[in-house]
Amino acid sequence: MRLFLDTANIGHIRHGVELGIISGVTTNPSLVSKEGKVNYQKLVKEICSIVPGPVSTEVLSQDAHGMIAEAREIAKWAGNIVVKIPANLEGVKATSVLCKENIKVNFTLCFSLNQALLGAAAGAAFISPFVGRLDDIGEDGMKVVVDIVQFLDYYQLPAQVIAASIRHTQHCIMAAKAGAHIATVPYKVLLQMIQHPLTDIGVKRFIQDWEKVMGDQKVIGSMKNNRLVGS
Ligand code: G3P
């Protein structure tokens, strides 16, 4: 499962990319608004220049005609742009047209297998089930991810599932087990994924044990001809 960052924050995106583990970014109008009143095009272009993979950015139009017009413009901004289109009837119509023009679509705000079926039929490259928002209303968000993954696999369809609306690290584990191609995670969750108290305790103990015997001898300082002195 690949990891995308679900944010429009440049600092967080740079950090994720520096770590070498982030291969894409997803944004939406709410996430962009969190960054203040920015120049949208400039921000998206900057994100696209940092990220070594797909960058999803959303249209605001409500009708297919407007969505298509917006998507055509947005698609010119960078080679790695993916246009987010909502999983409603107008969105299906727009997705069908855009995919025939080789504009990559992320079929977003997807909450059911039926919506995913139509998105895949229209040619969407990515389908984004929103796990957390389904959990919020007492449904099993991850079950929808499992169902969509199985459906795409069964019919050998090329669309990739992006597990979205990820709220915590358990969601990441469950998305990986469900076979999601991608999980798009908030920066905070990404940082939490690596944390384990036993790792921190282990590192501390290794250093204490070393220092008890070796004093302040450093590994690099004690290297000669690529060999540890005394090894
Ligand atoms: O990837 C979709 C995501 O941005 C929505 O997350 O937490 O607003 O449901 P959330």
Side-chain angles (χ1 to χ4, degrees), residues 58 86-88 107-117 127-137 139-145 147-148 162 164-165 167:
E58 196 141 349
N88 54 28
F107 204 59
T108 190
L109 287 165
C110 180
F111 295 98
S112 72
L113 177 57
N114 271 331
Q115 288 176 308
L117 275 163
I127 295 176
S128 293
F130 274 33
V131 177
R133 292 193 193 186
L134 278 168
D135 291 355
D136 287 347
I137 59 161
E139 292 193 24
D140 183 353
M142 205 50 75
K143 175 76 170 60
V144 176
V145 174
D147 288 348
I148 299 172
I162 304 181
S165 185
R167 299 281 173 74

Side-chain angles (χ1 to χ4, degrees), residues 173-188:
I173 291 169
M174 287 153 81
K177 285 184 175 175
H181 304 87
I182 298 150
T184 188
V185 298
Y187 180 68
K188 186 179 146 206

Side-chain angles (χ1 to χ4, degrees), residues 56-188:
S56 291
T57 190
E58 196 141 349
V59 296
L60 289 173
S61 294
Q62 310 270 304
D63 62 299
H65 184 76
M67 289 176 191
I68 293 165
E70 268 186 64
R72 283 178 180 151
E73 277 312 304
I74 291 171
K76 291 180 197 157
W77 293 352
N80 51 344
I81 285 273
V82 175
V83 184
K84 269 181 148 181
I85 303 281
N88 54 28
L89 213 50
E90 290 299 301
V92 169
K93 194 169 159 188
T95 300
S96 300
V97 171
L98 293 167
C99 293
K100 287 189 186 78
E101 296 176 14
N102 291 321
I103 292 174
K104 284 210 164 77
V105 169
N106 177 349
F107 204 59
T108 190
L109 287 165
C110 180
F111 295 98
S112 72
L113 177 57
N114 271 331
Q115 288 176 308
L117 275 163
L118 296 192
F126 301 99
I127 295 176
S128 293
F130 274 33
V131 177
R133 292 193 193 186
L134 278 168
D135 291 355
D136 287 347
I137 59 161
E139 292 193 24
D140 183 353
M142 205 50 75
K143 175 76 170 60
V144 176
V145 174
V146 171
D147 288 348
I148 299 172
V149 167
Q150 278 179 1
F151 148 67
L152 293 174
D153 190 47
Y154 187 83
Y155 291 102
Q156 301 275 292
L157 296 172
Q160 300 203 345
V161 175
I162 304 181
S165 185
I166 294 284
R167 299 281 173 74
H168 46 70
T169 52
Q170 274 305 312
H171 274 156
C172 302
I173 291 169
M174 287 153 81
K177 285 184 175 175
H181 304 87
I182 298 150
T184 188
V185 298
Y187 180 68
K188 186 179 146 206

